[in-house]
Amino acid sequence: MMVLSPGFTASVLDRVETERLDPDIVPRLVASGDALFIDLPDYLPATDAAGLAWTALDGATPVNELVLLGRIAGKARFTRLPADIQGARRSPAIMSLIESLSATDAATYGVARGLLDWHARHKFCAYCGHPSEMMRAGWARHCPSCQTEHYPRTDPVVIMLAEHGSGDAARVLVGRQPMFPPGRYSALAGFLEVGESIEGAVARELFEEAGVRATRIRYVASQPWPFPSQLMIACIARVEDDTITLDRNELEDARWVDRAGIAAALAGEESAPFLTPPSYAIAHTLLTAWAEGA
Ligand SMILES: [Zn+2]
């Protein structure tokens, strides 16, 4: 079986879930003197030649602002949640940072960014509206008024290639949203709705956006996508009829591309039929997997 490594999946972080249950874990690790720290002002961490620039955790940061990411190479790793933190945005600086990081550092950054952004957007209890407080070393929040506990959420998104034909006649469907950079096409995608299965969402999105009917769906890989909190679930869906009916609200264009065309696009050839998404996007992994026979 092919080994797939989508972006943001290569973290070497030990999440130490059991350690987080200890209410004194943060002060104890701070006192131990060998914890490491990285600050993310505006979600942009410092980097050096080795990647993420971890520094020794000194006593300067208030303990109640520290978030325990986990351990790497045995050492506790912290980031900081400033009291005035704002929700994260994607910026050219952040996307170019991600391109420059190693796969393992990008995944660790994704965890840190996702956690901080969740706290920034969930300062109040969703049940009673009272300000909530960080708990579990930064992996949950607690409402001191109604005692409800809140946990970071992950929003599932299906992303899929429709596949028509077989052998040399096999082709997959790629589409283009108006906001994409010029020339780019990608797999179609959409959020799972309440009460829906992965297969149901794949079939619904393909029909809504491109008018094609899935007859068989296979899972390929998944990826946490920290912009802000998606889980991308990549699938390939067989279709028997290749007639496209575009939903112009979602897509500007969609086209069938054969294996040679996908391979040319992945290789960045000038004659390629389209430009692929960046390599850290799971659409890139999905196109690569299909080109190699998944
Ligand atoms: Zn509450």
Side-chain angles (χ1 to χ4, degrees), residues 180-201:
F180 282 1
R184 178 179 294 173
Y185 283 70
S186 186
L188 306 193
F191 283 94
L192 261 86
E193 295 193 336
V194 172
E196 191 170 44
S197 67
I198 292 170
E199 294 84 347

Side-chain angles (χ1 to χ4, degrees), residues 5-11 95 98 103 106-111 223-227 280-281:
S5 306
F8 305 107
T9 62
S11 180
M95 301 325 277
I98 286 166
T108 303
Y109 169 73
V111 174
Q223 168 191 52
W225 183 251
F227 307 105
Y280 54 79

Side-chain angles (χ1 to χ4, degrees), residues 125 127-130 143 145-148 150:
C125 176
Y127 190 70
C128 79
H130 195 278
C143 174
S145 177
C146 74
Q147 310 305 322
T148 303
H150 301 278

